[in-house]
Structure formats: C-alpha cells, structure tokens
C-alpha cells in the first residue's frame, strides 16, 4: 500500500514510495547482520578478551569498528526487536 496525496495540477501523486521485495530482503539481511555482529561483540566483552583466538579477536575488532561507525552515523538509535 502506498501513501498518496493529491496534487491540484497533476492529480494523485505518490507521497511515500513503497519498498520493493528486493529492498525489503536487503533491509532484513542488514538488520540480521547487525544483530549478529552486536551479539558477537557483546559475547566477547562479557567473557573477556583473555585467551581469545587471533581470528576471533580480528572479527571482534572489525565488528566493533563497524558498530561504532553506525552509532556515530545514526546517533543514539538503539535496535529493538519487533517482538518486544
């Protein structure tokens, strides 16, 4: 469903475009990836960095950097699950 408005010169116009199926899939994929990265970072921070494998440490550092950039980009926006 799309939100419509009336333009007195052109008639009915689209106010907010509707997302395509591909755009919805891409958004869900990005949200899933964000939650997975956040989960990995929280798990490692909860258990500590002592004795962590080098590959896991590299993943932690990469995820932490990406998450920090997103927080800076979008401000203090906090992800919430839809079922909460």
């Amino acid at each position: 469903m799309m939100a419509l408005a009336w333009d007195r010169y052109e008639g009915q116009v689209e106010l907010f475009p509707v997302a395509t199926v591909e755009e919805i899939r891409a958004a869900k994929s990005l949200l899933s990836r964000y939650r997975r990265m956040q989960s990995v970072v929280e798990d490692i921070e909860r258990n500590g960095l002592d004795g962590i494998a080098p590959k896991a440490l590299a993943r932690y550092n990469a995820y932490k950097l990406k998450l920090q950039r997103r927080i800076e980009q979008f401000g203090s926006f906090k992800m919430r699950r839809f079922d909460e």
Side-chain angles (χ1 to χ4, degrees):
M1 178 188 287
M2 82 176 77
L4 299 173
W6 186 261
D7 182 314
R8 74 181 207 185
Y9 300 108
E10 297 180 24
Q12 198 171 13
V13 294
E14 188 174 340
L15 186 59
F16 300 107
V18 176
T20 65
V21 174
E22 294 82 22
E23 291 171 330
I24 292 170
R25 285 186 186 135
K28 286 182 178 181
S29 174
L30 290 172
L31 287 172
S32 176
R33 189 175 306 153
Y34 174 86
R35 287 191 299 260
R36 190 170 43 249
M37 285 192 298
Q38 186 69 30
S39 175
V40 167
V41 168
E42 289 174 355
D43 186 48
I44 291 174
E45 288 176 348
R46 183 175 42 250
N47 295 326
L49 296 172
D50 300 332
I52 192 170
K55 189 174 181 179
L57 183 60
R59 181 180 300 141
Y60 167 78
N61 289 329
Y63 286 178
K64 184 80 172 176
L65 181 63
K66 285 181 183 181
L67 292 171
Q68 286 174 346
R69 287 181 181 165
R70 294 298 178 247
I71 290 170
E72 291 170 2
Q73 181 180 3
F74 294 109
S76 62
F77 178 76
K78 179 155 174 70
M79 290 291 297
R80 289 182 16 176
R81 295 179 57 96
F82 290 110
D83 57 355
E84 288 181 343

